[in-house]
Amino acid sequence: MRPIVSLKGVNKHYGPLHVLKDVDLAIAPGQVVVLIGPSGSGKSTLCRTINRLETISSGVIEVDGKELPDEGRPLAALRAQVGMVFQSFNLFSHMSVLDNVALAPIRLRKISKAEAERKALALLERVGVAHQAAKLPAQLSGGQQQRVAIARALAMDPKVMLFDEPTSALDPEMINEVLDVMIQLAREGMTMIVVTHEMGFARKAADRVVFMADGEILEDQAPEDFFTSPATDRARDFLSKLITH
């Protein structure tokens, strides 16, 4: 089966800083891959290269068999296939929840306002916030806003969903309501690449745990294998610090 996302020999430099080092990664359709590792390991940078929010210095990234375009309409078209959920919710503050979700399909897919709103409402129902559709984002809790952001990303029928630390800005009691939506998406077969510190989510929902340190992938294992018998000293050290705090 052809990978839905493929990275081959990907390098990324910020001036003298080498933040991604010859990264190879292939993700099959329907897989849930969780990227974990210490701060500064390159996880978020890697996630953001997949829809070219970060450009790469060398290597090849393909989504659904097509190399990432540099810019312009081809890049916009490819980005429409790759949903992204950020740490900060990035909702339009002056627009209702419903309009936030309906906007991209109207603008980019040219579907009617009525059809876009019908679909947006169904997605808001799916993530458990349909009753908040008429409100502005500021009237919602952080957990509700993040669920709206997930619905907005789903509105474009993406082939892949990227999550860049989607719960790290949330209060502890709101984290589970977002993770529950993500677990449901995983069960429904959505291809997902998730940067997170939530090890419970990694154990429960991931097909693969990819452990990064210093810009390199050091381990790529099934969750059970990674958490019970990590292969590298760096991973063992990382996990022991998690457990002791």
Side-chain angles (χ1 to χ4, degrees), residues 32-165:
V32 178
V33 175
V34 171
L35 302 177
I36 66 172
S39 294
S41 58
K43 312 179 297 290
S44 287
T45 302
L46 175 58
C47 187
R48 292 164 68 90
T49 62
I50 295 168
N51 66 352
R52 215 176 173 81
L53 283 177
E54 297 277 3
T55 56
I56 58 174
S57 307
S58 63
V60 175
I61 300 177
E62 293 178 349
V63 175
D64 201 17
K66 298 187 184 75
E67 192 170 343
L68 274 189
D70 286 342
E71 55 192 25
R73 282 191 178 172
L75 179 59
L78 190 127
R79 275 196 179 139
Q81 299 176 29
V82 182
M84 180 105 195
V85 178
F86 300 89
Q87 187 172 338
S88 52
F89 322 121
N90 290 10
L91 299 171
F92 294 114
S93 60
H94 63 290
M95 295 171 67
S96 72
V97 162
L98 185 68
D99 288 343
N100 262 281
V101 179
L103 180 67
I106 293 169
R107 289 266 180 91
L108 300 175
R109 292 268 158 86
K110 309 299 183 196
I111 69 173
S112 72
K113 186 169 189 284
E115 172 64 13
E117 288 184 349
R118 185 194 64 75
K119 183 176 178 183
L121 209 50
L123 286 168
L124 290 169
E125 184 75 49
R126 189 171 164 190
V127 300
V129 288
H131 60 296
Q132 310 283 12
K135 292 185 178 176
L136 293 173
Q139 295 173 282
L140 274 60
S141 71
Q144 289 170 329
Q145 288 187 62
Q146 192 61 296
R147 286 186 278 158
V148 173
I150 293 171
R152 181 181 60 180
L154 290 171
M156 291 297 286
D157 296 318
K159 294 176 177 172
V160 183
M161 287 278 282
L162 307 175
F163 294 84
D164 187 10
E165 302 204 15

